[in-house]
Amino acid sequence: MFKIGDFSKLSQVTIKALRLYDELNLLKPARIDPESGYRYYSAEQISRLNQILVLKNLGFTLEQAAVMLNGGIRTDQFREMLLARRKQLEENVRFEQERLLLVEARLRQIENEGGELMSQNEVVIKSVEPIRVYSLRDVIPTFSAVGGLFHRLYEDITAAGAKMAGPGIQIYHESEYKDHDIDVEAAFPVTGGSKLALHELPGIAKAACLIHNGSYEMLHASYALIGKWIEDNGYSICGNSREVYLKTDDQASDQSEYVTEIQIPVEKL
Amino acid sequence: MFKIGDFSKLSQVTIKALRLYDELNLLKPARIDPESGYRYYSAEQISRLNQILVLKNLGFTLEQAAVMLNGGIRTDQFREMLLARRKQLEENVRFEQERLLLVEARLRQIENEGGELMSQNEVVIKSVEPIRVYSLRDVIPTFSAVGGLFHRLYEDITAAGAKMAGPGIQIYHESEYKDHDIDVEAAFPVTGGSKLALHELPGIAKAACLIHNGSYEMLHASYALIGKWIEDNGYSICGNSREVYLKTDDQASDQSEYVTEIQIPVEKL
DNA sequence: CTTGACTCTCCCCCCGGAGGAGATCTTACT
DNA sequence: AGTAAGATCTCCTCCGGGGGGAGAGTCAAG
């Protein structure tokens, strides 16, 4: 019989851990002195402890280990848990490797381009929810004509007694870059106005998103940035890009205050 | 200005997370209504939020992100943190991959050898602490003579008025298997007996350990098991193996109750 | 018998939120 | 203007695998 300290030294498992395993019914001491509460372990229990350590090394939780070791498991169940474990581990490895690539990309960027540390505007990947909107789609001669499209949209909405329930969204229905005769859709989420024919804007599973601050004349710079990012990070564009007008003339006194989000659907190559 | 729910939808960050970032001084709302306590965010703050998300994706903690974004950091410091991060991530990947190999080895074992699920006695890798012992070393004709060695050890210790302070240990000072004229050391940690010439048994950084239950006549089977395990798991033997007599004739009424631990120093190939 | 080393239970902490309770606030509809 | 629904607030507990420490009780050796 060993006291917990001796047993801990023998097994290289901390006393804290042993007490926890006791509490979780993973490894009950062979005897507990009813008066002092001291735990006494027998030499045979090292086998059991080793089983626990093996399961822990495989990455199972202590709770799973308790279920397995307390007998409620068949070989085929164990096999299935191992398969699930393998799947999870493979995913973990992929995830960590991808994260590693991101870190290395940052390091390269610092080495090459000097100290930018964190730019004000960073590209992030996120999903975009589907949303019901009222929208108008048209082929417009030049970019500057998109204002008119939004104006017609606004008139339709107010005429129907509806209200805008979110920021304006613009979708480029072009697969390539064009600067004339552009197929463009302007949309607003609305509330009320049951007469309006709403239409569901599909969600985007993965979109590369970048916030653009300031006048629309500089939007192309942000597009260049996000395009470079997509290329550098091994994504490719797989859908129509959008602009979301988070802050525009109705809340900003100056064009320099405008805030626009660029969303580009992407997929991992 | 967006209420927290709208801002959450825009940014695809949960309300819970936004409130946490507020608490951690990562992202304070642009305005908090002093009467209702409602948080109001401005469109510009999405940039800041994206910075947070990027740092989180790189695997930094929120606390680190707070330090970085709140200005107390220079580029070279950021670079060092990235380097540390890379090192940690590389280690994580190695660790998870090794764990994955363990799981796959288990799966192969189940497929090949049918349902053993968990054997009673599992091999674990652990470290062994250095320990001060009194020991005798001799070349003995056959294995069975090791008993005599321990007997002499026992007599020396009691004669010196000392006591054994732990289980007996046997070290094989042979690099290959021999069944006659074996160079063997028998050792006991002791307390008291200042006249005894103690000697420090070195620690082992990595030892493959296996508990053997029962008579010593079956020890060879456990040696075969641990040898196979070492080979299967990509280790190689790099030192003298030991046996630790955790339960032997002084506490056991029958040889079938003996408990012995085999320790073999190994290194990863 | 004393003293120092061990052990006991109980509580808080880590990390990044998730889930929920109960109260208050805003907003849309009548 | 009232009311009901939905949003939001703070505060609490929980997850995993223990680590660290307080305060009290126990064991073993000289």
Side-chain angles (χ1 to χ4, degrees), chain A residues 128-151:
Chain A
V128 177
E129 297 295 295
I131 183 173
R132 291 188 68 78
V133 295
Y134 175 66
S135 74
L136 289 174
R137 179 170 172 178
D138 204 352
V139 175
I140 58 174
T142 68
F143 280 123
S144 54
V146 76
L149 201 57
F150 270 101
H151 190 67

Side-chain angles (χ1 to χ4, degrees), chain A residues 1-2 28-42 45:
Chain A
M1 294 302 238
F2 302 97
K28 288 287 185 194
R31 192 173 71 84
I32 295 186
D33 186 313
E35 297 188 10
S36 68
Y38 274 33
R39 294 170 177 82
Y40 293 93
Y41 294 86
S42 69
Q45 297 193 282

Side-chain angles (χ1 to χ4, degrees), chain B residues 4-252:
Chain B
I4 196 169
D6 297 332
F7 197 68
S8 164
K9 276 170 203 143
L10 278 181
S11 59
Q12 297 292 317
V13 172
T14 64
I15 293 178
K16 288 282 185 185
L18 289 173
R19 288 205 267 247
L20 183 65
Y21 299 164
D22 178 5
E23 191 184 345
L24 297 179
N25 292 319
L26 260 172
L27 181 68
K28 289 287 185 192
R31 193 174 69 85
I32 294 185
D33 186 313
E35 296 188 11
S36 67
Y38 273 33
R39 295 169 176 83
Y40 293 93
Y41 294 86
S42 69
E44 287 86 351
Q45 296 193 282
I46 296 196
S47 296
R48 170 91 173 192
L49 187 52
N50 283 349
Q51 292 183 331
I52 296 169
L53 295 183
V54 166
L55 290 174
K56 225 163 67 79
N57 268 340
L58 294 176
F60 290 108
T61 67
L62 296 185
E63 197 184 356
Q64 290 175 313
V67 171
M68 296 184 206
L69 292 182
N70 291 336
I73 193 145
R74 293 189 311 274
T75 304
D76 57 337
Q77 290 173 319
F78 185 51
R79 202 179 77 96
E80 276 183 30
M81 296 184 81
L82 281 172
L83 288 172
R85 201 79 264 290
R86 181 174 66 179
K87 197 171 160 193
Q88 178 70 45
L89 282 170
E90 283 167 351
E91 196 164 326
N92 287 2
V93 168
R94 259 200 307 279
F95 183 77
E96 294 281 286
Q97 279 175 337
E98 195 156 324
R99 180 168 269 186
L100 185 54
L101 287 180
L102 285 178
V103 170
E104 285 172 346
R106 285 273 156 183
L107 276 168
R108 273 198 308 278
Q109 188 184 330
I110 286 188
E111 305 291 342
N112 295 340
E113 307 175 17
E116 262 196 39
L117 129 66
M118 293 270 309
S119 70
Q120 193 65 280
N121 292 312
E122 297 282 345
V123 177
V124 295
I125 297 290
K126 67 184 185 192
S127 66
V128 176
E129 298 294 296
I131 183 173
R132 290 189 67 80
V133 296
Y134 175 66
S135 74
L136 290 173
R137 179 169 171 179
D138 204 353
V139 175
I140 58 175
T142 68
F143 280 122
S144 53
V146 76
L149 202 57
F150 270 101
H151 191 68
R152 280 162 52 199
L153 200 60
Y154 173 76
E155 289 189 338
D156 282 2
I157 290 172
T158 49
K163 280 190 179 170
M164 293 163 298
I169 303 167
Q170 176 183 318
I171 302 104
Y172 284 96
H173 288 283
E174 296 285 358
S175 54
E176 301 181 357
Y177 177 78
K178 289 173 72 173
D179 61 358
H180 63 284
D181 297 333
I182 317 152
D183 184 2
V184 141
E185 180 178 357
F188 262 111
V190 296
T191 57
S194 50
K195 288 168 290 183
L196 286 177
L198 294 190
H199 132 249
E200 176 151 308
L201 222 52
I204 306 173
K206 280 187 171 187
C209 299
L210 175 62
I211 297 296
H212 171 80
N213 292 295
S215 154
Y216 298 143
E217 290 168 18
M218 292 304 293
L219 258 180
H220 65 276
S222 288
Y223 269 100
L225 209 59
I226 195 172
K228 181 175 184 308
W229 188 95
I230 289 170
E231 194 174 342
D232 286 354
N233 288 272
Y235 287 92
S236 75
I237 298 176
C238 68
N240 297 319
S241 63
R242 303 181 184 177
E243 290 171 12
V244 180
Y245 302 102
L246 297 171
K247 187 167 178 181
T248 180
D249 43 12
D250 50 338
Q251 299 132 31

Side-chain angles (χ1 to χ4, degrees), chain A residues 214-215 247-259, chain B residues 44:
Chain A
S215 153
K247 186 168 179 181
T248 180
D249 43 12
D250 49 337
Q251 300 131 31
S253 58
D254 192 281
Q255 284 204 2
S256 66
E257 291 181 11
Y258 288 4
V259 179
Chain B
E44 287 86 351

Side-chain angles (χ1 to χ4, degrees), chain A residues 189-202:
Chain A
V190 296
T191 56
S194 50
K195 286 169 292 183
L196 286 177
L198 294 190
H199 132 247
E200 175 151 311
L201 222 52

